[in-house]
Amino acid sequence: QVQLVESGGGLVQAGGSLRLSCAGSGSILHFNRMGWYRQAPGKQRELVAISISRGSTNYADSVKGRFTISRDNAKNTVHLQMSSLKPEDTAVYYCYATLGPSDYWGQGTQVTVSS
């Protein structure tokens, strides 16, 4: 059974930084896509950043230049380095991965940015 486990959320002041990590576990895995979504209270879940197995990445416009996604395929891990955080970045951040036709989600980690 595939599991995604996130770590690294927390409370930070505006302008600060946080690093989120996600580790995939299960049988031998070769995720196609790994990335991060977030959901703020009262809002829909939205893409933050995604890494595709061939090395390309996509970012939401709102985080470009501030967030960086990185991936270790050998360890099935993905990280999100978040800098210059803003109060509007406050949300539950979910790790996301695809394996063949299946999608997988982590349990979510809270990121709170105080003004």
Side-chain angles (χ1 to χ4, degrees):
Q1 183 175 357
V2 174
Q3 285 189 319
L4 300 175
V5 179
E6 301 116 332
S7 60
L11 173 65
V12 65
Q13 287 188 332
S17 299
L18 279 175
R19 178 180 168 87
L20 304 182
S21 296
C22 173
S25 63
S27 58
I28 297 175
L29 300 173
H30 299 283
F31 292 117
N32 307 112
R33 300 183 176 216
M34 294 190 79
W36 298 90
Y37 281 71
R38 67 186 180 186
Q39 187 166 18
K43 295 188 177 181
Q44 289 187 331
R45 191 172 296 189
E46 63 175 1
L47 173 70
V48 177
I50 195 85
S51 170
I52 302 171
S53 60
R54 289 188 297 266
S56 63
T57 56
N58 287 321
Y59 293 91
D61 288 343
S62 60
V63 307
K64 283 181 181 177
R66 300 188 297 122
F67 291 11
T68 302
I69 190 170
S70 60
R71 180 173 172 179
D72 185 336
N73 289 324
K75 297 181 179 179
N76 280 318
T77 57
V78 64
H79 308 281
L80 186 68
Q81 179 66 47
M82 305 185 293
S83 302
S84 301
L85 283 160
K86 305 175 181 179
E88 50 264 43
D89 294 318
T90 295
V92 177
Y93 284 69
Y94 295 92
C95 182
Y96 167 78
T98 64
L99 183 63
S102 301
D103 294 348
Y104 297 94
W105 295 90
Q107 79 285 357
T109 185
Q110 177 70 45
V111 171
T112 303
V113 184
S114 62
S115 56

